[in-house]
Amino acid sequence: MTTKSLYKSFIIEEYQLEEEPYYVPIGDEVELFEAAYKQKLPLIFKGPTGCGKTRFVEYMSYKLGAELTKVLKNEADDSAVNLPLVTIACHEDLTGSDLVGRYLLEGDQTVWLDGPLTRAVKAGGICYLDEVVEARKDTTVLIHPLTDHRRILPIEKRGELLQAADGFLLILSYNPGYQSALKDLKHSTRQRFVSIEFDYPPIDLEAQIVEHEAGVDKDTAYQLAKLGAKVRNLKEHGLGEGASTRLLIYAGQLMAQGIAPRRACQVSVNWAITDDHSLQQSITEIISSIFE
Amino acid sequence: MTDKLKVLKHLLPELEKFPVPVKDNFNKAIVEMPDALSDEQTSDWLKRGIAIAGQTVRSWEAAAHFFQVSPNVISSMPYSYFVRWMECGASLCEESPTLAAAYFEASPATMSKLRSRHIESWAGLGDGLYKGTWKSSTLACRFFAESSTLLESLSFQQLENFANFLDALSHRSYDLSSECLTLGEQIFPLVGDDKDAFLSLATTLVDTGWREVKSFFEAGAKALPKIHPEERMRFLKLAESLVNNGGTNIPGTMLDISQSLSLLEEDNHHIVLGFAEALLDEEPLAMPEFIKSAPIILEKLTILQLGRWYQEGVNTLSQNRDGGLAFFKIESSHSEAVIETLSSGIEFDRIKPVMEMYCRALAGAEIKLSPTDALVEKNIGWVSNESPTTEGSTVFVPTLVDRYGTKEENYAWFKVVSTHQVAHLEFGSFIFEFERESGLFENLRLDLEARRIKALRENQNNEPVVGDDIADSDSPGNELNESHTGLERAWLTDMQRFFDLFEDRKLALDIFTVVEDGRLDARVKNEYPGIKSSYNQVQSDSHENRPDIKELPAREAMVEFMVRLSLQQYEGVVAPSKYNKEASQVAQIARRVLVSDATVEDTAEATLRIYAIISAVPNEEIPPDDWNDMDFDDEDDEDYVDPEDMENLLQQIGMGMEMELRPEGEEEYESIQEVEYRGDFKPELAQLMTELRMQQQDEMGQSQGEPLTQEQLQELLENSAELDLQATEGEIQESSGMFADNIMKEAGANMPQSPDDSQGPFVHVDEEGGELEPAEPETFVYDEWDFRAEDYKPRWCVVRQKMMQEGDTAYFGATLNEYSTLVTRIRRQFEMMVPEMFRKERKLIDGEDIDIDDVIENMVDIKTGSSPDEKFYWRRNKVQRDVAVAFLLDTSASTAEAIDEGKNKQDDWDAPDDPVEYMVWLRTRRGEQMRRSYKRIIDMEKESMVLLINALEAIGDTYGIYGFSGYGRENVEFYTIKDLHENFSDKVKRRIDRIAPLHATRMGPAIRHAAYKLDKTDARTKILFLISDGRPQDRGYSREGVEKEYAVHDTKKALDEAKRQGINSFCLTVDKNGHDYLKTMCSDMGYEILDDINDLPERLLVLYRRLTM
């Protein structure tokens, strides 16, 4: 290309994970995922925020990629082929062209730039649409042909029909809890997916996760997990969402940096999940019961 | 004697002229007259007597008295004074012989208490009271008669004052004056040294409010004894200055004040009165309020803190008089806040929301938090007002914790108490299962049960008396038979089955309680390290309140020993020397359950073993020297091992059966005192309640299962050691029956209410009084704004939310028919508002931003040489409907008013053409007219609602319709016709039919409640639509009962609050005179006054459309 490219076209390799993400399976989600991947069935992850949906996708993409590499290596190919993971955070202004791609002007030329979905389709990676209900309805229709046996992505602007590469898998995440009824997924969309439900891990596993992620000792991790469990009991009592594993890890990380436990929980758990004063006080009491 | 008579001989015939008593009395008197009198003096005496007798026709009576009392009188004074006495009598007699007679008659008794020099003054007092009328004469006579009694408690000076007071009062009313005279006799002894003050107060009162004088005397007689004798004077002074400052109802106030003072410790009277006196300078009327509030405040504050509260009140007073008054009445939030800040006590109400959430979080269940008295009121077996406890779904805690000097400590205690109770639920005290294995001990329960049944069978067979195999449970004397049936009967709960194993249930329960509490405490401390330090503190504080172990008989001492141990006292635990071995065994077993994976079943097994040991200890007195201290390590390495001989152990537990073998001198086992913070543990009852509740739920879900009968329940209760039932047979029946009833009720408490209850008769309750509590479900408490005090009256109104009763759907259809033309028009208009989803409009000439795609397209077009499209802007679509609206209908009595002009004519051309329809139409019309030939305001409201619903259903907005009315602040009725989230259904149609005028209009709380409902609703636009027919008004919805502004201001405040919550309010009223108050009420909100009520339906819809566009 003679003219200096003003728009960097991301190469698909940049989406590949270098290290194995930490993930502790809670149920049979790994097996389900593998089975679905082999059968090219698109997936929906349902579950509250911060319970590990995104981490799971990362983990699976690495895991499946690693297996893929092994297979290829056996065929005496040196290049490690990881499974690319394209994550798209959906928002209410997300349009079809944001996903598929658009023409850009470069000097006196128009240049086509692939959208993230297109890239994943071409490269045969996992495309993860986070919080998909936030996206506009017309974008969700866009993914329909990708999710059935056709596995095609029409690129209207270029008049192309893109056949998805072999490794391509579409995953949506969605949190049924907090959206209003208006923002529910259409049935025609939902019924194209296999649903895996996520919830916060049981207390022992959560403790293990917190311990690993936050780098705190076992006891503290367990106490944090207990705090999580107790606070989650208050869901439906003014708490929209319980304290997520992510928040517990934050608290643990603060503690690992030397912040006093009560204070750490206060700022990372209590104040993060509610603005209701009396509820905050209640949670403060729980924190002060659990932590010294 | 004869000498004297001789001297007087020439006078004696004079006496003959008068009726016989005169001479008789003279004859008696002359004998008693002192010998020392000279002849002259004697004859002077006689002459005066005769003179008195001769004054008027009736004066002989006075003379008779004169002679009668003379010897007595002269003996108490020198002759010179005697002369004066006689002169006074004579001059009184000139005024009125009756008066003189009374004077003479009263003299002997009075003279002994009167200094001789006061004789003339005294006579003068009586004389002064005499005004020549019959009534004044009675009063004066009575004054003389009562003088001697009065002088017992009054000095002469005071008597004079009293007489002056009587005189003054007699100008108003003789009867009153005379009654006060009588009351005076009772009251003066009580007044103490402050009679002057009392009298001067009384005299002042004559000028300011003489009608109250009598009640003042009566009140005084009741009030004064309640006050510290030294402070009575100050009390009276206070009352006096209150009078001087224009106070009203002084006697009532005095009673109130004295009542309050009597509630205080006497030492505090001095201080409180001191504040009260100082307060007089600031605002006299606040003084009584202050004293009345004092006992309430001193429950929460120390006397020093009271001073600070007082000071704050004075500050408030200086800024705002009404505010200050409300402050001292504790009717302002500020006042409460100050108390709260100063107080070291923890009040249940204040921390309930926080602690309830805390408990729910810990237990992971829908736990409620209630004060203990609520449980006692339910009367289901719990009797202690103080002890925290739980019955499986609610944690009961004390109303006020004021054990420590600081708030922090009290709070910590409260938290420990709540945590302990929740631990029962969290760590499963009540999920005990008889057959579930214990992890720490070998399971003996089933064995033991079998063994007991067998033993009892054998026992029974050996017994010749009972012929039948089935024991006759009606024979009360046969204890063995009783327990036999006890074991074999179907148990209701596993807990009951477990306790059935023991002969001495009380002992078993006590052991179980201690072991279980110990297990929970250990578990809590393990699970919640953060609370550990407060927990330890509370535990060690509990030691202080334990009974002296050395005074307990041995068996009780062993249990007490366990309690101490469970309270973490490991060193120097006192135990009877001769049972040291047993004690350490017990300790070993009990400590085994202190591990974190111990379950309630472990507790049960431990209980069995400990019971075996302790029940073998005879309950006898131990001499004071036979005790020693035992030490245990914090960590006990020695593990408890069951004895090799299990047979033996089982035997031991069974031992209790042979109760008859008790040694001599053994005492009945009495339950030991409970540990305060652990409260009242009733595992059997709690498990029962839990199970009953589940049963109740199952029943609703139509599941099978034999429901529990009243008899079974009663039997359980009678056997349980947890109830303190009366000992005699008949009463056990009675009280267990009552408990059983209540328990059944309690378990079924969540049954849906019958809608017929909704319009019950209202009870008149006085407006005075304090805050209200939402006692029942579906009641809500709101503050009320006092615009004079510029503060909220906290928790002042109770809103009772009820479902509107259901009527007939026909009304709905009929109304739609009636307005059919309007209906179609409106519906079309509303359908045009159908919400469009959020939409970005593209391809516009102008807009928020350029659309990059369109621009590029444009550029590409230019490049390719075709004519470009210049519309490449985009803009957000502004119309986004997300509306929630609450309609608040005034259903006060005034809406029953008829609308002036009949509307009948107009209706007639609505008649349908179709003959069949016409008949139907005609019938409804007739029916309608029979009922009511005119339309009322409420009818227009109802019709509007029908049209509104019809229109709103078209656009799909969230809407709720509520009616409000009420009677007094404790009865604000809030009727749900359609709830915000309820779907429109025939039910709603039926409810509309039943909207009817009710009582008064207390708008404030209704608005607050509607706002509260809206606030819980998620919508971008929230609207509160108030439809009323007049100004807000209600009993007590005012200040001093007159100011209409009070109601208006509260309503305004409520609307302001709603506005702050992001709710737009609009008032639509049909009151043509509404402008004056609506201007204030809705100063910056929309309001409209309808000139013609008939426009209501249409206007309402138009307004609604305008508001929500």
Side-chain angles (χ1 to χ4, degrees), chain B residues 123 202 309 384 422 438 448 487 578 626 719 875 903 958 1034:
Chain B
W309 177 77
S384 165
V422 173
S438 148
L448 194 67
L487 261 182
K578 77 190 217 204
D626 292 355
N719 281 301
R875 177 170 64 210
K903 217 172 149 261
T958 311
D1034 187 14

Side-chain angles (χ1 to χ4, degrees), chain B residues 927-943:
Chain B
E928 188 108 313
Q929 270 170 352
M930 282 216 314
R931 265 186 286 151
R932 201 187 315 119
S933 56
Y934 56 90
K935 269 198 178 167
R936 306 166 300 173
I937 296 177
I938 193 117
D939 293 322
M940 294 312 292
E941 289 185 357
K942 283 163 76 173
E943 285 168 8

Side-chain angles (χ1 to χ4, degrees), chain A residues 98-148:
Chain A
D98 290 334
L99 286 178
V100 174
R102 54 163 57 96
Y103 277 113
L104 293 177
L105 280 176
E106 202 173 283
D108 51 356
Q109 288 181 308
T110 54
V111 178
W112 172 259
L113 183 70
D114 274 344
L117 180 62
T118 314
R119 263 173 269 158
V121 167
K122 279 182 180 165
I126 295 175
C127 181
Y128 179 52
L129 292 172
D130 207 358
E131 303 292 4
V132 71
V133 284
E134 293 291 343
R136 294 173 48 176
K137 288 265 189 292
D138 53 336
T139 56
T140 51
V141 176
L142 192 74
I143 59 182
H144 281 190
L146 270 174
T147 53
D148 50 27

Side-chain angles (χ1 to χ4, degrees), chain B residues 416-440:
Chain B
V416 167
V417 164
S418 314
T419 311
H420 181 84
Q421 293 304 329
V422 173
H424 280 302
L425 303 163
E426 189 181 2
F427 304 121
S429 287
F430 305 126
I431 54 161
F432 173 73
E433 277 181 34
F434 191 83
E435 291 175 19
R436 187 159 52 204
E437 304 249 313
S438 148
L440 298 173

Side-chain angles (χ1 to χ4, degrees), chain A residues 103 108 226 230 233 288-289, chain B residues 358 361 415 426 527 863:
Chain A
Y103 277 113
D108 51 356
K226 193 187 301 163
K230 296 301 174 197
N233 283 336
S288 71
S289 275
Chain B
Y358 169 78
K415 196 174 166 186
E426 189 181 2
E527 296 271 336
K863 288 235 174 238

Side-chain angles (χ1 to χ4, degrees), chain A residues 92-93 95 97 102-105 107-110 136 157 180 182 222-223 226 229-231 233-234 237-238 262 278-279 281-282 284-292, chain B residues 353-358 360-366 411 415 419 426 526-532 837-838 840 852-853 855-857 859-860 863 874 876 881-882 1018:
Chain A
E92 53 188 13
D93 269 347
T95 61
S97 12
R102 54 163 57 96
Y103 277 113
L104 293 177
L105 280 176
D108 51 356
Q109 288 181 308
T110 54
R136 294 173 48 176
K157 294 235 173 67
S180 73
L182 286 175
Y222 189 76
Q223 303 292 22
K226 193 187 301 163
K230 296 301 174 197
V231 171
N233 283 336
L234 288 182
H237 291 295
R262 284 188 183 180
S278 129
L279 204 56
Q281 274 181 296
S282 300
T284 307
E285 291 306 329
I286 304 170
I287 293 171
S288 71
S289 275
I290 294 179
F291 292 98
E292 280 173 88
Chain B
V354 171
M355 284 317 271
E356 189 167 74
M357 282 297 187
Y358 169 78
R360 281 179 180 172
L362 253 52
E366 284 291 303
Y411 190 76
K415 196 174 166 186
T419 311
E426 189 181 2
N526 188 24
E527 296 271 336
Y528 301 106
I531 204 176
K532 199 169 167 181
M837 278 307 298
F838 177 83
K840 200 161 146 186
I852 196 75
D853 283 354
V855 172
I856 291 166
E857 222 164 90
M859 298 305 282
V860 172
K863 288 235 174 238
W874 62 267
R876 256 177 252 268
R881 276 194 84 78
D882 184 10
D1018 186 17

Side-chain angles (χ1 to χ4, degrees), chain B residues 532 568 570 591 594-595 632-638:
Chain B
K532 199 169 167 181
Q568 309 277 300
Y570 289 131
R591 290 177 63 182
L594 301 188
V595 294
F632 298 90
D633 290 335
D634 237 2
E635 294 296 320
D636 197 6
D637 297 331
E638 249 183 287

